[in-house]
Amino acid sequence: MVRIDAVLVALAVASALGVVASQHQARRLHGEFEREQARAQALEVEWGQLQLEQSTWATHGRVEKLARDRLHMQLPPEGQVLVVEPQS
């Protein structure tokens, strides 16, 4: 009878240690999950800022001004413009 009691106590202690270990792992993983969610949110904000910056840098007026000022480009005379229509 004493032997059965010792086995039951050992099983209860092992079970309790398993519960403690699994709770510790769950808390650790939850903290890691929250950190990754915060990182994902920060990356989303940065992505939005980069898209806004790209749209600002690529506006038609800015590109045209840079082409005129830095590259000394100009619109061709009207007679030199050729319009190509797609075939249907």
Side-chain angles (χ1 to χ4, degrees):
M1 190 62 130
V2 173
R3 189 173 187 155
I4 293 176
D5 289 341
V7 169
L8 290 176
V9 167
L11 287 174
V13 168
S15 176
L17 290 175
V19 168
V20 168
S22 66
Q23 283 181 342
H24 174 71
Q25 184 178 11
R27 286 187 181 121
R28 184 180 56 81
L29 289 174
H30 183 69
E32 187 177 328
F33 176 71
E34 286 183 346
R35 280 190 300 276
E36 291 300 322
Q37 275 188 324
R39 183 171 177 253
Q41 185 177 6
L43 288 173
E44 287 285 334
V45 169
E46 184 180 0
W47 174 249
Q49 290 171 344
L50 289 173
Q51 285 181 317
L52 180 62
E53 183 179 347
Q54 180 187 23
S55 67
T56 301
W57 285 101
T59 59
H60 180 73
R62 183 177 183 284
V63 171
E64 187 174 345
K65 184 179 183 316
L66 287 174
R68 265 190 268 112
D69 296 346
R70 288 191 186 172
L71 302 175
H72 307 292
M73 297 175 81
Q74 59 185 354
L75 289 174
E78 193 171 312
Q80 290 183 344
V81 176
L82 177 65
V83 178
V84 178
E85 298 289 333
Q87 293 178 356
S88 53

